[in-house]
Amino acid sequence: MFSIVQRGQHVLNHAVTLIGILSVFIALSSYALLQQGGAFNLPSTISGVSPQATVRMSRRFGSVGSKEKENNKLTFDLQADLTPLFNWNTKQIFVYLTAEYPGKSEGSSNKVTYWDKIITSKDNANLTLQNEKSKYSVWDVEDTFRNREATVKLEWDIQPYVGILISGETTGEVDVVFPTPPTGEEARAEKMKKRQQKQH
Ligand SMILES: *[C@@H]1O[C@H](CO)[C@@H](O)[C@H](O)[C@H]1NC(C)=O
């Protein structure tokens, strides 16, 4: 009753099972390696955080029906050595600077991402940034950030060759208060000044 096909299937089943076991083993051992290297307690220094608020009317910046929408950007300094996130099972890492702040309802919190970077090599994993500008202009679900206090920190994801995405955050964090955006009058004056500077 044993045909070639049946035997082939049997071998294949074994192979699939073996690959499955091997993948789990690789994922677990590289996770252990990360833990050993202190990946989940990496220090970072975030400093010189300077948030700037503006008011936008465009849909591209979260405004609906041309209603004024408060946007927020920031500049920051950062020092973080993310080298320990790299081992033989690390394909690349994704790092991002976030701000977390209290939401509208009790106990809830909101989070925004100002900046991110993909790092594909251990050689580029020691980050030193100075006066770095946020990549994104962010807005809240509400019209304004209401001067709430936010915690800024650096988080990361590891994309492994084998296994699932691993996430964590560095231990350094800093508190900032969202500034009040300039009023209509101030914003106009600011625009005028910029226009004049451009002409010179
Ligand atoms: C990472 O960069 C900082 C600042 O330039 C330096 O002090 C530190 O020694 C570097 N770490 C490694 C592992 O190269």
Side-chain angles (χ1 to χ4, degrees):
M1 281 299 283
F2 283 109
S3 69
I4 289 283
V5 174
Q6 273 175 327
R7 194 167 297 173
Q9 230 154 30
H10 197 68
V11 170
L12 199 68
N13 281 347
H14 268 290
V16 169
T17 309
L18 250 175
I19 289 171
I21 291 172
L22 207 63
S23 305
V24 169
F25 178 75
I26 289 175
L28 286 180
S29 60
S30 64
Y31 191 86
L33 213 61
L34 286 174
Q35 217 153 25
Q36 232 172 40
F40 298 97
N41 288 306
L42 287 185
S44 65
T45 309
I46 303 165
S47 56
V49 177
S50 164
Q52 300 116 34
T54 51
V55 170
R56 302 287 200 153
M57 311 281 271
S58 150
R59 266 170 63 183
R60 213 159 69 80
F61 293 98
S63 169
V64 176
S66 295
K67 242 171 80 182
E68 289 194 343
K69 186 83 172 179
E70 186 182 319
N71 268 237
N72 202 277
K73 280 189 165 194
L74 50 76
T75 54
F76 62 100
D77 300 340
L78 171 73
Q79 168 59 54
D81 186 4
L82 303 173
T83 315
L85 300 186
F86 278 88
N87 61 40
W88 45 269
N89 194 27
T90 303
K91 189 171 178 215
Q92 59 184 27
I93 62 178
F94 181 66
V95 290
Y96 45 105
L97 192 83
T98 61
E100 195 169 3
Y101 52 94
K104 196 169 189 176
S105 58
E106 191 78 26
S108 75
S109 72
N110 299 347
K111 197 187 262 191
V112 288
T113 300
Y114 284 105
W115 175 92
D116 56 35
K117 188 181 174 71
I118 292 171
I119 302 172
T120 54
S121 153
K122 197 174 182 165
D123 300 334
N124 302 326
N126 193 4
L127 297 178
T128 305
L129 304 174
Q130 239 157 27
N131 219 4
E132 182 81 7
K133 286 192 176 72
S134 56
K135 276 164 83 168
Y136 310 109
S137 179
V138 302
W139 58 85
D140 189 48
V141 284
E142 293 180 62
D143 289 336
T144 162
F145 283 100
R146 290 193 279 119
N147 301 66
R148 277 167 290 191
E149 186 172 282
T151 304
V152 177
K153 58 182 149 190
L154 188 73
E155 306 186 38
W156 51 261
D157 294 332
I158 296 176
Q159 231 178 60
Y161 287 106
V162 174
I164 54 165
L165 200 77
I166 299 167
S167 303
E169 57 186 48
T170 58
T171 58
E173 55 181 48
V174 63
D175 289 337
V176 297
V177 175
F178 290 116
T180 316
T183 61
E185 196 80 8
E186 286 163 351
R188 266 193 293 280
E190 190 69 22
K191 243 185 213 160
M192 282 282 253
K193 215 170 90 190
K194 269 197 189 137
R195 207 171 292 153
Q196 277 168 356
Q197 276 168 353
K198 247 185 218 159
Q199 281 166 356
H200 289 304

